[in-house]
Amino acid sequence: MQMADRLLKTPPYPFAELARLKREAIANGVDLINFGIGDPDTPTPDFVVQAMQRAVENPAYHQYDETDIGLPMMLEAIAAWYAKRFGVPLDPKTEILRLIGSKEGIAHLAWAVLNPGDLVLVPDPGYPVYKVSTLFADAESYAMPLRPARGFVPDLAAIPSDVADRAKLMWLCYPNNPTGATVDLDFLAEAVAFAQKHDILIGMDLAYSEIYYEDDCVPPSMLQVPGAKEVCIEFHSFSKPFNMTGWRIGWACGNPDALAALNKLKSNLDSGAFLAIQEAATVALTTDTTAYFRDLRARYRRRRDLLVDGLNAAGWQVEKPKGAFYVWAPTPNGMSAADCAMKLLQDCGILATPGSAYGAHGEGFVRFALTLPATDVEARIAEAAARIQATF
Ligand code: MLT
């Protein structure tokens, strides 16, 4: 059988590779501590599960999702949540589109808005899907380095003007996967002005919007910037805030033309999203979640502090991330990312992602996801720190 050239050029999805390493280690009897994929270990909250149990009994939901852009009740709930959370009004008829998880929308945007040979500005390190979807659309990526000295924020002024003029799409993600960096509205305003000047669509990935650790860095939406709806499509997920990774539901919002293009593509590819899930997602957004999010953030903050303090006690030099649930750790003693990840796996029974899986500028880092499956996660993190302290 022939495999398409585009797939031959595509590296394996890093988390499929990690899943394989995980299976192998467990089969070999390793007591594995798994900091691999960012997949919340705590269950979906009861109020969402119960809503789903009720919704799934509705026979009208057993058929195709024949709505145009999503279940109206969910679109209304998204608009109301968005207005409350970000102070931005969204028209539920034209400015929102349901997705089968934000990864699906992010991946498909390339086919909806790019022509072969177009240029895409991609953060490096960055979520691998930005670059791979660019490749699938026969377009080219231009790496925007995210450097520690700049707080893992790209230097837009350093992008050559011919590159900026050629670019059609730019990806950004804050709170950031994989670095945990956050940005303020000033940077988002700079990005919008840059996009307006060079006629670029911004794909803003806000999957981690509710996971942050300081009250003075509550993640903003890019759509808070005046004029942003002209240049921005923003991607949101239920997976990370509501522990719903397996459910596959998210949304895009912002520029109506970009949303319409994405919807045209999607309507030829998929058949919407299970309507019962859209009703349960509605309940997620319309329930009072103040206490739920306070607990969620406190839980990840305790894990973050345990791991970072433990790594630093082993002589690593790691800063505490301000958002998302990843610790982006410089490798000790100048080790390569791959060597460090391999040593963690082979000598400590710890699975972490080599930073190089996120791009060339991820070299010299490993990423620990704070979502490890265990009955007592904090005890497992303490155990991981002890193993690292004994080994490195
Ligand atoms: C990650 O670990 O980077 C994410 O969980 C992957 C994803 O969201 O697809």
Side-chain angles (χ1 to χ4, degrees), residues 54-119:
R54 288 190 300 273
V56 84
E57 299 214 9
N58 181 351
Y61 288 168
H62 300 172
Q63 295 184 281
Y64 282 125
D65 169 2
E66 287 199 331
T67 65
D68 179 19
I69 58 172
L71 191 66
M73 73 162 81
M74 184 177 82
L75 303 175
E76 297 284 350
I78 291 169
W81 181 85
Y82 214 86
K84 189 162 172 226
R85 170 67 174 83
F86 300 113
V88 176
L90 291 176
D91 182 346
K93 293 201 168 53
T94 56
E95 293 183 332
I96 304 174
L97 174 64
R98 54 93 176 80
L99 300 172
I100 312 170
S102 62
K103 179 182 185 183
E104 176 267 304
I106 287 170
H108 282 142
L109 184 68
W111 275 343
V113 301
L114 297 175
N115 288 320
D118 280 349
L119 195 63

Side-chain angles (χ1 to χ4, degrees), residues 13 15 37-38 103 127 177 208 240 326 367:
Y13 191 55
F15 301 110
I37 193 165
K103 179 182 185 183
Y127 185 43
N177 178 12
Y208 300 91
K240 310 295 159 75
Y326 302 112
R367 193 195 77 169

Side-chain angles (χ1 to χ4, degrees), residues 15 37 90 179 204 251 299 356 361 389:
F15 301 110
I37 193 165
L90 291 176
T179 68
M204 178 73 192
W251 80 86
R299 185 161 62 242
S356 42
H361 292 270
Q389 284 157 19

Side-chain angles (χ1 to χ4, degrees), residues 119-142:
L119 195 63
V120 180
L121 305 176
V122 176
D124 181 348
Y127 185 43
V129 179
Y130 311 142
K131 202 168 159 187
V132 167
S133 60
T134 302
L135 189 139
F136 284 174
D138 295 321
E140 288 169 37
S141 303
Y142 179 90

